[in-house]
């Protein structure tokens, strides 16, 4: 059958049948998408789309999805125990407050049986508890609001470390990181020891407060947690700080590092932990 007759039968325009696309193959975009997918192996096309837009590639989400499928990209389903992927150790930081924050959740329940959770934010260098936010539900948007409020009070941290919880890997958090310019480091799945500072803090909160207190309501929990955090920062001796309080240790660091001295100036000593500054005197 000729082309003319076939087009007449199906009622199609011959120009449409003969049309061949002249668009380019989006080679550079496909390469960039493959590169990001290789770096972020647990990210699907939605989060990769946010990363592309953050780098100035303004395309439609559906196009990102189409290219993602055409390139054969997919998040591999884990059928065995979780393993570390790539290099995930956070870089050492200067012995200064506000260089690295750690985030994690701890759970408990009230006398009525209703469960609630607490978002804890800890300064890894000074060991201060910067925030302890209790609520029955804390979404990614709530995490962003609390961090924005905290940055308005203390300034922007050099790095934020957390696990791979859904609230902390949400699109709201990813978009906020690009907007505010904060580096967010995710630990290896199933490796809580890589977030040891806040995990240690959670253990102290569990042992000294949550297991010792019967919370009658969410309001009661907020009052008790706020009081315990204040005591933890200003009164409780911390063994890793030579039994000084986190607030006193932070004040001492401020004296050693004047505000006029930039962290990248003449002082080049870096630390991965402040535990090496612990005093060796005998316990009283």
């Amino acid at each position: 059958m000729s082309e003319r007759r076939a087009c007449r039968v199906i009622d199609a325009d011959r120009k449409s049948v003969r049309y061949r696309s002249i668009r380019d193959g989006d080679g550079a975009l496909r390469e960039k998408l493959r590169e990001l997918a290789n770096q972020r192996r647990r990210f699907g096309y939605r989060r990769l789309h946010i990363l592309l837009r953050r780098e100035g590639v303004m395309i439609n989400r559906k196009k990102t999805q189409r290219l993602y499928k055409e390139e054969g990209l997919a998040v591999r389903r884990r059928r065995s125990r979780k393993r570390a992927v790539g290099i995930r150790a956070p870089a050492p930081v200067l012995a200064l407050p506000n260089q690295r924050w750690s985030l994690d959740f701890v759970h408990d329940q009230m006398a009525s049986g209703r469960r609630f959770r607490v978002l804890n934010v800890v300064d890894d260098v000074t060991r201060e508890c910067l925030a302890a936010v209790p609520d029955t539900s804390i979404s990614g948007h709530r995490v962003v609001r609390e961090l924005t409020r905290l940055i308005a009070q203390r300034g922007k941290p050099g790095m934020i470390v957390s696990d791979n919880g859904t609230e902390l890997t949400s699109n709201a958090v990813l978009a906020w990181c690009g907007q505010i310019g904060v580096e967010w480091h995710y630990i290896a799945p199933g490796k809580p020891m890589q977030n040891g500072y806040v995990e240690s803090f959670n253990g102290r909160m569990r042992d000294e407060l949550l297991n010792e207190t019967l919370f009658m309501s969410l309001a009661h929990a907020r009052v008790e947690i706020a009081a315990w955090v204040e005591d933890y920062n200003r009164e409780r001796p911390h063994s890793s700080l030579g039994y000084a309080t986190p607030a006193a240790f932070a004040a001492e660091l401020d004296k050693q590092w004047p505000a006029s001295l930039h962290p990248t100036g003449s002082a080049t000593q870096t630390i991965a932990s402040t535990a090496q500054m612990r005093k060796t005197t005998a316990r009283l």
Side-chain angles (χ1 to χ4, degrees), residues 122-142:
V122 175
D123 189 311
D124 288 0
V125 175
T126 67
R127 313 298 170 86
E128 295 174 281
C129 176
L130 308 182
V133 184
D135 212 330
T136 54
S137 176
I138 301 178
S139 64
H141 290 283
R142 176 69 180 279

Side-chain angles (χ1 to χ4, degrees), residues 154-174:
R154 292 181 56 95
K156 188 168 63 174
M159 177 189 297
I160 296 178
V161 181
S162 76
D163 59 20
N164 297 268
T166 55
E167 302 87 355
L168 304 176
T169 58
S170 64
N171 290 335
V173 170
L174 289 174

Side-chain angles (χ1 to χ4, degrees), residues 12-220:
D13 193 301
R14 293 174 63 193
K15 293 182 179 179
S16 298
V17 173
R18 294 176 178 177
Y19 175 77
R20 296 294 180 268
S21 176
I22 59 175
R23 294 189 308 175
D24 58 18
D26 296 316
L29 179 57
R30 291 172 184 268
E31 182 179 354
K32 185 63 179 177
L33 185 61
R34 288 195 301 268
E35 179 183 347
L36 289 174
N38 185 55
Q39 295 175 356
R40 305 279 190 171
R41 294 181 237 185
R42 305 307 300 170
F43 280 14
Y45 76 89
R46 291 182 177 88
R47 290 191 174 91
L48 293 177
H49 176 70
I50 291 179
L51 297 181
L52 286 173
R53 293 180 66 90
R54 187 184 298 173
E55 296 187 8
V57 182
M58 307 304 292
I59 61 174
N60 187 280
R61 180 189 60 82
K62 293 183 178 179
K63 182 174 181 179
T64 304
Q65 182 182 11
R66 175 174 61 83
L67 296 179
Y68 185 84
K69 290 184 176 180
E70 290 178 358
E71 291 300 312
L73 301 174
V75 178
R76 181 181 178 183
R77 292 183 178 273
R78 297 188 183 273
R79 300 185 182 276
S80 59
R81 66 185 182 88
K82 296 179 178 179
R83 300 177 183 273
V85 179
I87 300 174
R88 294 176 178 266
V93 296
L94 289 170
L96 279 169
N98 241 30
Q99 292 297 295
R100 188 167 67 204
W101 295 354
S102 295
L103 276 68
D104 199 13
F105 291 93
V106 63
H107 300 76
D108 202 18
Q109 65 180 20
M110 294 174 276
S112 62
R114 187 179 185 185
R115 299 189 63 82
F116 69 94
R117 59 197 326 209
V118 184
L119 170 65
N120 288 328
V121 184
V122 175
D123 189 311
D124 288 0
V125 175
T126 67
R127 313 298 170 86
E128 295 174 281
C129 176
L130 308 182
V133 184
D135 212 330
T136 54
S137 176
I138 301 178
S139 64
H141 290 283
R142 176 69 180 279
V143 172
V144 167
R145 290 200 303 270
E146 294 297 334
L147 290 177
T148 301
R149 177 187 60 80
L150 195 56
I151 288 176
Q153 296 175 355
R154 292 181 56 95
K156 188 168 63 174
M159 177 189 297
I160 296 178
V161 181
S162 76
D163 59 20
N164 297 268
T166 55
E167 302 87 355
L168 304 176
T169 58
S170 64
N171 290 335
V173 170
L174 289 174
W176 177 81
C177 287
Q179 177 184 1
I180 207 71
V182 172
E183 179 183 356
W184 196 297
H185 171 82
Y186 294 104
I187 66 173
K191 301 289 184 180
M193 67 287 297
Q194 294 182 5
N195 202 17
Y197 297 105
V198 71
E199 290 288 347
S200 175
F201 175 82
N202 289 347
R204 302 287 77 73
M205 173 180 278
R206 172 73 62 189
D207 183 55
E208 300 175 12
L209 175 67
L210 302 183
N211 290 348
E212 299 294 322
T213 308
L214 182 63
F215 301 109
M216 306 308 298
S217 64
L218 185 59
H220 178 220

